[in-house]
Protein backbone atom coordinates (compact mmCIF):
# COMPACT_ATOMS: atom_id res chain seq x y z
CA UNK A 1 0.00 0.00 0.00
CA UNK A 2 1.09 3.57 -0.71
CA UNK A 3 1.04 5.95 2.28
CA UNK A 4 0.91 9.75 2.00
CA UNK A 5 1.08 12.20 4.91
CA UNK A 6 -1.18 15.18 4.29
CA UNK A 7 -1.19 18.67 5.81
CA UNK A 8 -4.42 20.19 7.03
CA UNK A 9 -4.13 23.80 5.91
CA UNK A 10 -5.41 25.30 9.18
CA UNK A 11 -3.04 23.17 11.28
CA UNK A 12 -0.13 23.92 8.98
CA UNK A 13 -0.71 27.66 9.38
CA UNK A 14 -1.04 27.33 13.16
CA UNK A 15 2.37 25.64 13.25
CA UNK A 16 4.21 28.42 11.42
CA UNK A 17 7.08 29.37 11.45
CA UNK A 18 8.07 25.74 12.08
CA UNK A 19 6.27 24.58 8.91
CA UNK A 20 7.70 27.15 6.52
CA UNK A 21 10.52 24.74 5.68
CA UNK A 22 8.80 21.35 6.13
CA UNK A 23 5.47 19.52 6.04
CA UNK A 24 3.69 19.05 9.35
CA UNK A 25 4.71 15.40 9.46
CA UNK A 26 8.40 16.31 9.65
CA UNK A 27 8.03 18.03 13.01
CA UNK A 28 10.01 16.30 15.74
CA UNK A 29 8.21 15.53 18.99
CA UNK A 30 9.45 12.87 21.37
CA UNK A 31 12.41 10.97 19.93
CA UNK A 32 11.21 10.76 16.31
CA UNK A 33 9.54 13.03 13.80
CA UNK A 34 5.88 12.27 13.17
CA UNK A 35 6.82 10.85 9.76
CA UNK A 36 9.44 8.58 11.32
CA UNK A 37 6.86 7.30 13.83
CA UNK A 38 4.54 6.25 10.99
CA UNK A 39 7.28 4.83 8.75
CA UNK A 40 8.83 2.72 11.49
CA UNK A 41 5.49 1.33 12.61
CA UNK A 42 4.26 0.66 9.07
CA UNK A 43 7.70 -0.50 7.91
CA UNK A 44 7.52 1.57 4.73
CA UNK A 45 8.35 4.98 3.28
CA UNK A 46 5.82 7.78 2.95
CA UNK A 47 5.47 10.86 0.77
CA UNK A 48 3.74 14.21 1.38
CA UNK A 49 0.67 16.13 0.26
CA UNK A 50 1.62 19.66 1.26
CA UNK A 51 2.02 23.20 -0.10
CA UNK A 52 3.24 23.37 -3.70
CA UNK A 53 6.47 25.19 -2.91
CA UNK A 54 7.57 22.32 -0.67
CA UNK A 55 6.90 19.65 -3.28
CA UNK A 56 10.36 19.76 -4.87
CA UNK A 57 11.95 18.61 -1.60
CA UNK A 58 8.91 16.66 -0.40
CA UNK A 59 7.26 15.25 -3.57
CA UNK A 60 4.03 13.30 -3.50
CA UNK A 61 4.06 9.73 -4.79
CA UNK A 62 0.68 8.48 -6.03
CA UNK A 63 -0.39 4.95 -6.80
CA UNK A 64 -3.74 3.51 -7.82
CA UNK A 65 -4.63 2.87 -4.17
CA UNK A 66 -3.45 5.27 -1.45
CA UNK A 67 -3.82 5.75 2.28
CA UNK A 68 -3.76 9.41 3.27
CA UNK A 69 -2.54 9.98 6.83
CA UNK A 70 -2.94 13.17 8.85
CA UNK A 71 0.61 14.48 9.34
CA UNK A 72 -0.24 16.12 12.67
CA UNK A 73 -1.37 12.87 14.34
CA UNK A 74 1.03 10.50 16.10
CA UNK A 75 0.23 6.80 15.58
CA UNK A 76 -0.84 4.35 18.26
CA UNK A 77 -1.02 0.55 18.09
CA UNK A 78 -4.77 0.78 17.61
CA UNK A 79 -4.49 3.29 14.77
CA UNK A 80 -1.76 1.31 13.01
CA UNK A 81 -3.94 -1.82 13.00
CA UNK A 82 -6.92 0.14 11.65
CA UNK A 83 -4.79 1.79 8.96
CA UNK A 84 -3.45 -1.57 7.76
CA UNK A 85 -7.04 -2.86 7.38
CA UNK A 86 -8.45 0.30 5.79
CA UNK A 87 -10.53 -0.44 2.67
CA UNK A 88 -11.61 1.86 -0.17
CA UNK A 89 -14.06 4.56 0.90
CA UNK A 90 -13.28 4.15 4.58
CA UNK A 91 -11.82 6.80 6.88
CA UNK A 92 -10.47 6.69 10.43
CA UNK A 93 -11.55 9.59 12.63
CA UNK A 94 -11.13 10.84 16.17
CA UNK A 95 -13.90 13.29 16.94
CA UNK A 96 -13.76 15.93 14.19
CA UNK A 97 -10.22 14.96 13.13
CA UNK A 98 -9.59 12.80 10.07
CA UNK A 99 -6.68 10.49 10.88
CA UNK A 100 -6.51 8.43 7.68
CA UNK A 101 -8.57 7.59 4.61
CA UNK A 102 -8.34 5.28 1.62
CA UNK A 103 -8.52 7.00 -1.80
CA UNK A 104 -7.70 6.15 -5.39
CA UNK A 105 -5.29 8.23 -7.48
CA UNK A 106 -8.29 9.51 -9.48
CA UNK A 107 -10.12 10.61 -6.35
CA UNK A 108 -6.98 12.30 -5.10
CA UNK A 109 -6.48 14.13 -8.41
CA UNK A 110 -10.12 15.15 -8.66
CA UNK A 111 -10.50 16.47 -5.16
CA UNK A 112 -7.00 17.82 -4.53
CA UNK A 113 -8.03 17.52 -0.90
CA UNK A 114 -8.06 14.60 1.53
CA UNK A 115 -11.70 15.12 2.56
CA UNK A 116 -13.75 12.82 0.30
CA UNK A 117 -17.51 12.63 0.87
CA UNK A 118 -19.63 9.52 1.10
CA UNK A 119 -17.27 7.22 2.93
CA UNK A 120 -17.62 5.02 6.00
CA UNK A 121 -16.19 6.43 9.24
CA UNK A 122 -14.30 4.32 11.77
CA UNK A 123 -13.93 5.99 15.18
CA UNK A 124 -10.79 5.29 17.20
CA UNK A 125 -11.35 4.49 20.86
CA UNK A 126 -8.33 6.32 22.25
CA UNK A 127 -7.68 9.98 21.44
CA UNK A 128 -4.23 10.10 19.78
CA UNK A 129 -1.53 12.66 20.41
CA UNK A 130 -1.95 15.45 17.87
CA UNK A 131 0.14 18.57 17.28
CA UNK A 132 -2.04 21.54 16.29
CA UNK A 133 -0.13 24.49 17.82
CA UNK A 134 3.56 25.30 18.18
CA UNK A 135 3.51 25.19 21.98
CA UNK A 136 2.05 21.69 21.98
CA UNK A 137 5.40 20.40 20.72
CA UNK A 138 6.97 20.98 24.13
CA UNK A 139 3.82 20.70 26.26
CA UNK A 140 3.04 17.22 24.87
CA UNK A 141 6.66 16.13 24.59
CA UNK A 142 6.65 13.96 27.72
CA UNK A 143 3.99 11.61 26.37
CA UNK A 144 5.70 11.57 22.97
CA UNK A 145 9.07 10.63 24.52
CA UNK A 146 7.51 7.83 26.57
CA UNK A 147 5.58 6.46 23.56
CA UNK A 148 8.66 6.52 21.33
CA UNK A 149 10.90 5.10 24.05
CA UNK A 150 8.60 2.13 24.63
CA UNK A 151 8.29 1.48 20.90
CA UNK A 152 11.99 1.80 20.05
CA UNK A 153 13.32 -0.21 22.99
CA UNK A 154 10.73 -3.00 23.17
CA UNK A 155 12.46 -6.36 23.10
CA UNK A 156 15.91 -4.79 22.76
CA UNK A 157 18.90 -4.54 25.08
CA UNK A 158 20.72 -1.29 25.74
CA UNK A 159 24.42 -0.98 25.00
CA UNK A 160 26.55 -0.82 28.14
CA UNK A 161 27.05 2.39 30.11
CA UNK A 162 30.55 2.72 31.55
CA UNK A 163 31.12 2.88 35.29
CA UNK A 164 32.31 6.50 35.38
CA UNK A 165 28.65 7.58 35.17
CA UNK A 166 26.08 7.80 37.98
CA UNK A 167 22.52 6.59 37.41
CA UNK A 168 19.66 7.52 39.75
CA UNK A 169 16.09 6.25 39.73
CA UNK A 170 14.39 3.10 38.54
CA UNK A 171 13.55 4.02 34.94
CA UNK A 172 15.75 2.88 32.10
CA UNK A 173 18.74 4.52 30.44
CA UNK A 174 18.87 3.15 26.90
CA UNK A 175 21.99 3.58 24.77
CA UNK A 176 22.20 2.92 21.06
CA UNK A 177 25.55 1.86 19.60
CA UNK A 178 28.56 4.17 19.44
CA UNK A 179 27.66 6.52 22.30
CA UNK A 180 30.31 8.35 24.32
CA UNK A 181 29.31 9.12 27.91
CA UNK A 182 31.73 9.83 30.72
CA UNK A 183 31.31 11.18 34.27
CA UNK A 184 27.67 12.20 33.78
CA UNK A 185 24.77 12.08 36.23
CA UNK A 186 21.71 10.43 34.66
CA UNK A 187 18.59 10.80 36.78
CA UNK A 188 15.67 8.62 35.68
CA UNK A 189 13.48 9.32 38.71
CA UNK A 190 10.82 11.06 36.61
CA UNK A 191 11.31 9.23 33.33
CA UNK A 192 13.65 7.28 31.05
CA UNK A 193 16.64 8.61 29.14
CA UNK A 194 17.22 7.67 25.50
CA UNK A 195 20.65 8.25 23.95
CA UNK A 196 20.86 7.79 20.19
CA UNK A 197 23.53 6.28 18.00
CA UNK A 198 26.86 8.12 18.08
CA UNK A 199 25.64 10.69 20.61
CA UNK A 200 28.13 12.17 23.09
CA UNK A 201 27.58 13.38 26.64
CA UNK A 202 30.61 15.13 28.05
CA UNK A 203 31.86 14.99 31.60
CA UNK A 204 30.02 16.80 34.36
CA UNK A 205 26.67 16.87 32.54
CA UNK A 206 23.52 16.38 34.61
CA UNK A 207 20.52 14.92 32.81
CA UNK A 208 17.09 14.39 34.34
CA UNK A 209 14.57 12.34 32.34
CA UNK A 210 12.43 11.97 30.45
CA UNK A 211 15.07 12.97 27.91
CA UNK A 212 15.78 12.08 24.27
CA UNK A 213 19.28 12.78 23.00
CA UNK A 214 19.06 11.80 19.35
CA UNK A 215 21.63 10.36 16.96
CA UNK A 216 25.02 12.11 16.89
CA UNK A 217 23.88 14.91 19.20
CA UNK A 218 26.44 16.38 21.57
CA UNK A 219 25.91 17.51 25.16
CA UNK A 220 28.68 19.85 26.32
CA UNK A 221 30.51 19.76 29.66
CA UNK A 222 28.50 20.70 32.76
CA UNK A 223 25.24 20.94 30.81
CA UNK A 224 22.02 20.75 32.83
CA UNK A 225 19.11 19.16 30.97
CA UNK A 226 15.66 18.86 32.56
CA UNK A 227 12.99 16.71 30.97
CA UNK A 228 10.84 16.41 29.13
CA UNK A 229 13.41 17.58 26.56
CA UNK A 230 14.47 16.43 23.10
CA UNK A 231 17.88 17.21 21.61
CA UNK A 232 17.55 16.44 17.91
CA UNK A 233 20.12 14.73 15.67
CA UNK A 234 23.51 16.43 15.24
CA UNK A 235 22.57 19.25 17.63
CA UNK A 236 25.02 20.61 20.19
CA UNK A 237 23.76 21.71 23.57
CA UNK A 238 25.27 23.30 26.65
CA UNK A 239 24.10 25.41 29.58
CA UNK A 240 20.61 24.86 30.99
CA UNK A 241 17.69 23.45 29.03
CA UNK A 242 14.22 22.67 30.40
CA UNK A 243 11.19 21.11 28.63
CA UNK A 244 12.30 22.08 25.13
CA UNK A 245 12.51 20.46 21.70
CA UNK A 246 15.38 21.07 19.28
CA UNK A 247 14.58 19.57 15.88
CA UNK A 248 18.14 18.88 14.70
CA UNK A 249 21.39 20.35 13.36
CA UNK A 250 21.05 23.32 15.72
CA UNK A 251 23.47 24.70 18.30
CA UNK A 252 22.97 25.98 21.81
CA UNK A 253 26.51 25.09 22.72
CA UNK A 254 27.20 27.61 25.49
CA UNK A 255 25.83 28.79 28.82
CA UNK A 256 22.39 30.36 28.93
CA UNK A 257 18.85 29.18 29.65
CA UNK A 258 16.38 27.70 27.17
CA UNK A 259 13.00 26.74 28.62
CA UNK A 260 9.61 25.62 27.26
CA UNK A 261 10.81 26.33 23.75
CA UNK A 262 10.99 24.86 20.25
CA UNK A 263 14.04 25.42 18.03
CA UNK A 264 13.90 24.31 14.39
CA UNK A 265 16.86 23.14 12.29
CA UNK A 266 20.09 24.99 11.46
CA UNK A 267 19.69 27.55 14.26
CA UNK A 268 22.47 28.90 16.47
CA UNK A 269 21.98 30.52 19.87
CA UNK A 270 25.01 32.61 20.76
CA UNK A 271 26.79 32.36 24.11
CA UNK A 272 24.64 33.42 27.06
CA UNK A 273 21.47 33.67 24.99
CA UNK A 274 18.60 33.43 27.49
CA UNK A 275 14.89 32.86 27.13
CA UNK A 276 12.28 33.94 29.64
CA UNK A 277 9.61 31.28 30.02
CA UNK A 278 7.56 32.79 32.87
CA UNK A 279 6.01 36.23 33.22
CA UNK A 280 6.67 38.18 36.41
CA UNK A 281 2.89 38.42 36.82
CA UNK A 282 2.51 34.61 36.46
CA UNK A 283 -0.20 35.23 33.84
CA UNK A 284 -0.83 32.85 30.95
CA UNK A 285 1.48 33.55 28.01
CA UNK A 286 0.25 35.05 24.74
CA UNK A 287 2.05 33.99 21.55
CA UNK A 288 2.04 35.36 18.00
CA UNK A 289 -0.33 33.42 15.71
CA UNK A 290 0.30 33.42 11.98
CA UNK A 291 -3.25 32.27 11.32
CA UNK A 292 -4.90 34.94 13.49
CA UNK A 293 -2.29 37.63 12.75
CA UNK A 294 -2.28 38.64 16.39
CA UNK A 295 -1.14 37.36 19.79
CA UNK A 296 -3.31 34.56 21.18
CA UNK A 297 -3.60 32.97 24.61
CA UNK A 298 -1.69 29.69 24.95
CA UNK A 299 -3.34 29.04 28.33
CA UNK A 300 0.15 28.07 29.51
CA UNK A 301 1.98 29.71 32.39
CA UNK A 302 5.32 28.59 30.93
CA UNK A 303 6.21 29.38 27.32
CA UNK A 304 9.57 30.55 26.00
CA UNK A 305 10.88 30.79 22.42
CA UNK A 306 9.58 29.41 19.11
CA UNK A 307 12.34 29.80 16.49
CA UNK A 308 12.15 28.98 12.76
CA UNK A 309 14.89 27.37 10.68
CA UNK A 310 18.25 29.04 9.91
CA UNK A 311 17.80 31.74 12.57
CA UNK A 312 20.67 32.96 14.76
CA UNK A 313 21.13 35.01 17.92
CA UNK A 314 24.23 36.92 19.00
CA UNK A 315 25.92 36.63 22.39
CA UNK A 316 23.92 37.81 25.41
CA UNK A 317 20.66 37.95 23.43
CA UNK A 318 17.56 38.03 25.66
CA UNK A 319 14.24 36.65 24.40
CA UNK A 320 11.12 37.66 26.29
CA UNK A 321 8.42 35.27 27.50
CA UNK A 322 6.46 33.93 24.54
CA UNK A 323 8.64 35.06 21.63
CA UNK A 324 8.20 33.88 18.04
CA UNK A 325 11.14 34.22 15.63
CA UNK A 326 10.68 33.44 11.94
CA UNK A 327 12.97 31.81 9.37
CA UNK A 328 16.49 33.04 8.62
CA UNK A 329 16.73 35.88 11.11
CA UNK A 330 19.88 37.32 12.68
CA UNK A 331 19.06 38.80 16.08
CA UNK A 332 21.46 40.60 18.42
CA UNK A 333 21.81 43.53 20.82
CA UNK A 334 21.22 44.29 24.48
CA UNK A 335 17.82 44.27 26.14
CA UNK A 336 14.75 42.13 25.53
CA UNK A 337 13.85 41.52 21.89
CA UNK A 338 10.39 41.98 20.40
CA UNK A 339 7.89 39.18 21.03
CA UNK A 340 7.46 38.60 17.30
CA UNK A 341 10.33 38.85 14.82
CA UNK A 342 9.33 38.15 11.20
CA UNK A 343 11.34 35.96 8.86
CA UNK A 344 14.41 37.40 7.11
CA UNK A 345 14.95 40.07 9.76
CA UNK A 346 18.38 41.45 10.67
CA UNK A 347 18.89 43.50 13.83
CA UNK A 348 17.77 43.82 17.41
CA UNK A 349 16.47 46.18 20.04
CA UNK A 350 17.76 49.28 18.22
CA UNK A 351 15.95 48.44 14.98
CA UNK A 352 15.46 45.88 12.24
CA UNK A 353 16.16 45.67 8.52
CA UNK A 354 15.57 43.02 5.86
CA UNK A 355 18.04 40.13 5.79
CA UNK A 356 19.38 39.90 2.23
CA UNK A 357 18.44 36.58 0.64
CA UNK A 358 21.79 36.00 -1.04
CA UNK A 359 23.60 36.63 2.24
CA UNK A 360 21.27 34.16 3.94
CA UNK A 361 22.06 31.54 1.27
CA UNK A 362 25.78 32.23 1.68
CA UNK A 363 25.55 31.66 5.44
CA UNK A 364 23.43 28.53 5.05
CA UNK A 365 25.93 27.13 2.53
CA UNK A 366 28.77 27.64 5.03
CA UNK A 367 26.77 26.10 7.90
CA UNK A 368 25.91 23.01 5.84
CA UNK A 369 29.56 22.64 4.81
CA UNK A 370 30.62 22.63 8.49
CA UNK A 371 28.46 19.51 8.91
CA UNK A 372 29.77 17.88 5.74
CA UNK A 373 26.58 18.57 3.80
CA UNK A 374 25.78 20.49 0.62
CA UNK A 375 23.29 23.35 0.53
CA UNK A 376 22.08 22.21 -2.88
CA UNK A 377 19.69 23.70 -5.41
CA UNK A 378 16.67 22.13 -3.70
CA UNK A 379 17.56 23.81 -0.38
CA UNK A 380 18.38 27.09 -2.12
CA UNK A 381 15.05 27.09 -3.96
CA UNK A 382 13.15 26.28 -0.77
CA UNK A 383 14.75 29.11 1.20
CA UNK A 384 14.16 31.47 -1.74
CA UNK A 385 10.49 30.47 -1.91
CA UNK A 386 10.06 31.14 1.81
CA UNK A 387 11.73 34.53 1.32
CA UNK A 388 9.28 35.47 -1.43
CA UNK A 389 6.35 34.10 0.56
CA UNK A 390 7.20 36.10 3.67
CA UNK A 391 8.17 39.22 1.72
CA UNK A 392 4.63 39.54 0.39
CA UNK A 393 3.40 39.98 3.92
CA UNK A 394 6.18 40.77 6.37
CA UNK A 395 3.92 39.79 9.25
CA UNK A 396 3.83 36.28 7.79
Amino acid sequence: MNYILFDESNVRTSLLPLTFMRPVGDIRIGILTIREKWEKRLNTKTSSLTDNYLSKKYPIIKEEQNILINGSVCPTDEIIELVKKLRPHQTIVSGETIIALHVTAEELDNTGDPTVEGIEEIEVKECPLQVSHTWEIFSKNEKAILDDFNFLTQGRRSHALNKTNVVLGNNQVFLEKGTKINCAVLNTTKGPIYIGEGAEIMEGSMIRGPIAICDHAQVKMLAKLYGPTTIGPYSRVGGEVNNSVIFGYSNKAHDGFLGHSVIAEWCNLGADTNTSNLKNTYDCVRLWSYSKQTFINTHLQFCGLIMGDHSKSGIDTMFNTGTVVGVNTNIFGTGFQRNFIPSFTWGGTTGHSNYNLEKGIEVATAVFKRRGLEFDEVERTLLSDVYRLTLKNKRL
Side-chain angles (χ1 to χ4, degrees):
M1 181 57 68
N2 185 47
Y3 297 98
I4 304 168
L5 298 188
F6 71 85
D7 287 354
E8 290 183 294
S9 58
N10 61 323
V11 172
R12 176 173 172 73
T13 304
S14 294
L15 289 168
L16 292 172
L18 303 173
T19 49
F20 272 131
M21 300 290 291
R22 62 181 54 77
V24 173
D26 289 279
I27 283 175
R28 186 174 302 277
I29 180 171
I31 301 171
L32 305 168
T33 67
I34 299 174
R35 184 188 304 279
E36 289 169 345
K37 299 178 201 297
W38 283 101
E39 290 184 345
K40 286 181 180 294
R41 286 175 177 266
L42 292 169
N43 195 29
T44 189
K45 290 293 184 182
T46 63
S47 64
S48 293
L49 176 59
T50 184
D51 277 10
N52 288 334
Y53 77 92
L54 286 169
S55 61
K56 188 172 183 180
K57 184 174 180 179
Y58 303 95
I60 187 171
I61 297 173
K62 302 177 186 178
E63 294 184 4
E64 180 54 35
Q65 301 295 326
N66 308 277
I67 302 293
L68 295 180
I69 296 170
N70 191 325
S72 68
V73 175
C74 298
T76 64
D77 291 342
E78 178 195 3
I79 290 173
I80 290 295
E81 290 306 309
L82 290 174
V83 165
K84 288 179 177 179
K85 298 175 183 177
L86 203 60
R87 300 194 304 271
H89 303 105
Q90 287 184 328
T91 181
I92 301 168
V93 299
S94 175
E96 298 298 318
T97 300
I98 295 175
I99 295 175
L101 67 160
H102 192 304
V103 295
T104 65
E106 182 180 3
E107 289 170 335
L108 188 57
D109 289 336
N110 289 342
T111 63
D113 187 276
T115 54
V116 179
E117 295 182 357
I119 56 180
E120 176 190 354
E121 290 189 354
I122 302 170
E123 183 83 24
V124 297
K125 297 176 182 178
E126 182 181 359
C127 184
L129 191 155
Q130 183 178 17
V131 179
S132 301
H133 299 283
T134 54
W135 59 84
E136 291 179 338
I137 297 170
F138 67 78
S139 66
K140 296 181 178 181
N141 197 43
E142 180 171 6
K143 176 171 172 45
I145 289 175
L146 296 178
D147 288 347
D148 285 349
F149 186 93
N150 292 333
F151 171 72
L152 290 173
T153 64
Q154 185 175 18
R156 300 176 61 217
R157 178 176 293 181
S158 170
H159 285 257
L161 179 68
N162 75 52
K163 295 182 179 180
T164 67
N165 299 285
V166 176
V167 178
L168 305 174
N170 296 320
N171 286 293
Q172 190 178 8
V173 177
F174 192 94
L175 279 64
E176 300 288 0
K177 66 180 180 180
T179 59
K180 300 177 183 178
I181 310 171
N182 291 292
C183 302
V185 177
L186 307 174
N187 189 330
T188 69
T189 303
K190 294 187 176 180
I193 296 172
Y194 176 88
I195 303 171
E197 180 178 337
E200 180 181 12
I201 301 176
M202 295 183 181
E203 53 271 23
S205 296
M206 294 178 285
I207 297 172
R208 179 179 287 259
I211 291 278
I213 299 172
C214 299
D215 294 355
H216 305 286
Q218 185 182 75
V219 179
K220 297 287 191 174
M221 290 191 298
L222 303 179
K224 295 173 287 186
L225 307 186
Y226 298 83
T229 285
T230 298
I231 309 301
Y234 295 93
S235 294
R236 297 166 183 166
V237 175
E240 184 178 359
V241 180
N242 181 23
N243 191 194
S244 296
V245 176
I246 299 176
F247 284 1
Y249 293 96
S250 288
N251 292 340
K252 182 213 169 296
H254 306 287
D255 286 343
F257 174 70
L258 180 71
H260 298 82
S261 298
V262 184
I263 308 297
E265 293 185 347
W266 304 107
C267 297
N268 189 78
L269 302 182
D272 287 315
T273 292
N274 285 283
T275 63
S276 169
N277 64 341
L278 174 67
K279 300 177 72 172
N280 286 346
T281 58
Y282 295 84
D283 291 332
C284 288
V285 179
R286 295 172 63 83
L287 200 67
W288 176 259
S289 166
Y290 285 83
S291 57
K292 302 295 185 182
Q293 287 291 284
T294 188
F295 291 90
I296 63 173
N297 194 344
T298 65
H299 302 288
L300 296 175
Q301 194 175 61
F302 290 91
C303 183
L305 170 66
I306 309 294
M307 177 176 275
D309 297 71
H310 296 285
S311 286
K312 313 287 191 291
S313 70
I315 62 171
D316 293 325
T317 302
M318 296 195 299
F319 290 108
N320 220 326
T321 317
T323 294
V324 174
V325 175
V327 171
N328 204 80
T329 67
N330 194 316
I331 306 302
F332 49 87
T334 59
F336 279 108
Q337 306 292 331
R338 289 170 47 182
N339 286 69
F340 171 57
I341 300 173
S343 298
F344 292 90
T345 294
W346 180 289
T349 52
T350 58
H352 294 143
S353 60
N354 287 334
Y355 193 154
N356 179 270
L357 174 61
E358 289 306 315
K359 180 61 178 176
I361 290 173
E362 179 184 328
V363 172
T365 300
V367 171
F368 268 55
K369 187 176 181 180
R370 280 168 52 91
R371 300 299 184 94
L373 299 174
E374 179 188 1
F375 193 75
D376 59 18
E377 187 60 32
V378 172
E379 295 290 348
R380 181 188 179 104
T381 300
L382 177 54
L383 192 61
S384 300
D385 286 341
V386 174
Y387 176 79
R388 285 187 288 270
L389 177 67
T390 56
L391 193 65
K392 291 178 183 177
N393 182 350
K394 194 60 175 175
R395 298 298 283 182
L396 271 176

